Amino acid sequence: MKFRKTAASAAVVLTLALSATACGGKEGPAGDKTGGDTDTKALPKYKVAEDVKVDSPVLKKAQKRGKLIVGAKSDQPYLGFQDPSSKKYEGFDIEVAKMVAADLGFGEKDIQFKTIDSSVRETAISKGQVDLMVGTYTINDERKKQVAFAGPYYMAGQDLLVRKDEKSIKGPDSIKGKKVCSVTGSTPLQNIKDNKSKYGAEPVEFGKYTDCVKQLLDGQVDAMTTDDAILKGYAAERPTKLKVVGETFSEEPYGIGLKKGDKELQNAVLDAVEAHQKDGSYKKAYDATLGRSGSKFEEPPALERD
Ligand code: GLU
């Protein structure tokens, strides 16, 4: 009997490992995954436009160099993740970047992804280190002073990630006196700092979300806060150790960041997002990436054209 049980669980482990490999995810102990679990076979193909003419200084420069430089996140499974061995980027934001790039005339091999952390996005865009930034980038007025956005293409909301055995933290009303980790330059960190009297949390700040995940797993902090879409990815990676609690307590509309004043590029990016939302490839891309972490597909918010 004992043997049979072991054989059965070994078979389960093997099946999981095989399916994880087929999907591009990597399976670790206790069903943990790293990097998300993209269904690579279900990803849409994007037709690359030819002879694209947009009166944008940024795009013209990219056309000259033959590469579109896209700022991305590298440690957010299901959204923007760089595989440490293949160096390839994957996730929903990466797909959004690919669909936009295709409409601007750049195929997958002509995109150069660059990891840009939350605190340096505005600088990277305004200094021309990236042509576009596609990385869980909340559109807000403060940031609009420095950069422009095309979007919103997705609506996220601030949430909390805790250890699986956590009992006392159930939402933003129960983080008083708790150590809550987030990332420098992010809106969720700003929210708990600006509203200290409301939430009463003790903010702990790092440069990367994976540093917060580590702190949380090691018991150094009590919770981690950022967008639900990001947190669900970490919870899906470690279903036996982490969970997302409560309801979202902010609105985080995601936009594609670009150089302020480049109206033509902004419109071209908006046209691209709109076209892919209409032809179904946006949903297809979502279902093959972020949709696999427990964030159900919802109709995207209306794009803003100003
Ligand atoms: N969406 C939020 C922001 O733009 C949090 C996620 C992030 O840090 O990228 O700040």
Side-chain angles (χ1 to χ4, degrees):
M1 201 55 198
K2 193 160 183 255
F3 168 73
R4 273 179 129 194
K5 236 185 196 168
T6 318
S9 47
V12 170
V13 169
L14 185 65
T15 318
L16 283 171
L18 286 174
S19 63
T21 312
C23 298
K26 278 156 255 7
E27 195 98 2
D32 295 359
K33 296 181 203 79
T34 49
D37 196 11
T38 303
D39 186 353
T40 38
K41 285 200 198 90
L43 286 175
K45 299 252 180 295
Y46 313 108
K47 196 174 171 312
V48 182
E50 281 165 36
D51 285 328
V52 176
K53 284 189 182 66
V54 178
D55 194 14
S56 148
V58 170
L59 192 67
K60 283 180 182 164
K61 222 169 148 187
Q63 285 169 332
K64 230 186 207 158
R65 88 165 83 82
K67 290 262 180 229
L68 187 72
I69 306 175
V70 178
K73 294 301 185 73
S74 60
D75 66 341
Q76 295 176 183
Y78 302 88
L79 275 161
F81 181 83
Q82 187 180 26
D83 187 298
S85 45
S86 73
K87 302 284 175 227
K88 273 188 113 176
Y89 288 78
E90 62 173 296
F92 179 58
D93 273 340
I94 304 305
E95 292 306 310
V96 170
K98 285 185 202 165
M99 59 183 86
V100 168
D103 283 17
L104 297 177
F106 295 84
E108 218 180 301
K109 59 172 192 347
D110 304 320
I111 307 172
Q112 186 188 324
F113 285 107
K114 232 187 209 180
T115 298
I116 304 289
D117 290 328
S118 297
S119 61
V120 290
R121 289 179 288 206
E122 289 81 31
T123 320
I125 296 166
S126 43
K127 285 200 171 158
Q129 293 159 356
V130 298
D131 300 324
L132 299 175
M133 174 74 219
V134 193
T136 60
Y137 200 10
T138 295
I139 303 170
N140 66 28
D141 290 343
E142 195 52 39
R143 290 173 177 168
K144 276 189 191 168
K145 288 178 192 160
Q146 297 180 65
V147 299
F149 288 97
Y153 65 89
Y154 179 79
M155 183 62 83
Q158 183 169 1
D159 218 328
L160 292 160
L161 182 75
V162 295
R163 286 180 294 275
K164 196 86 192 225
D165 58 2
E166 173 65 54
K167 300 239 161 39
S168 60
I169 302 176
K170 297 193 177 75
D173 302 339
S174 44
I175 51 173
K176 213 181 177 93
K178 302 282 187 188
K179 281 190 181 155
V180 179
C181 193
S182 200
V183 157
T184 313
S186 73
T187 46
L189 177 73
Q190 205 54 46
N191 186 19
I192 56 165
K193 277 185 169 175
D194 289 350
N195 296 292
K196 182 107 202 202
S197 55
K198 183 174 171 191
Y199 301 121
E202 195 189 308
V204 178
E205 179 169 344
F206 281 92
K208 279 188 180 284
Y209 286 109
T210 33
D211 292 329
C212 283
V213 176
K214 200 171 176 307
Q215 292 275 314
L216 184 60
L217 290 168
D218 291 350
Q220 305 290 321
V221 297
D222 304 301
M224 163 176 176
T225 190
T226 187
D227 304 340
D228 54 348
I230 303 172
L231 298 178
K232 280 180 191 168
Y234 294 125
E237 270 195 328
R238 295 178 185 80
T240 58
K241 298 194 184 86
L242 299 172
K243 64 180 178 188
V244 177
V245 289
E247 305 271 297
T248 55
F249 53 105
S250 77
E251 283 198 339
E252 307 291 333
Y254 288 176
I256 296 167
L258 52 105
K259 198 163 241 166
K260 194 175 158 79
D262 200 335
K263 268 273 172 259
E264 296 287 327
L265 184 59
Q266 186 184 26
N267 283 329
V269 174
L270 281 164
D271 289 346
V273 173
E274 191 171 17
H276 288 277
Q277 287 180 340
K278 283 198 175 136
D279 75 10
S281 50
Y282 170 95
K283 180 175 188 303
K284 214 170 160 194
Y286 183 94
D287 289 340
T289 55
L290 192 54
R292 296 169 67 82
S293 71
S295 290
K296 267 214 203 94
F297 180 80
E298 277 173 28
E299 273 315 304
L303 296 168
E304 278 164 23
R305 295 190 185 256
D306 43 32

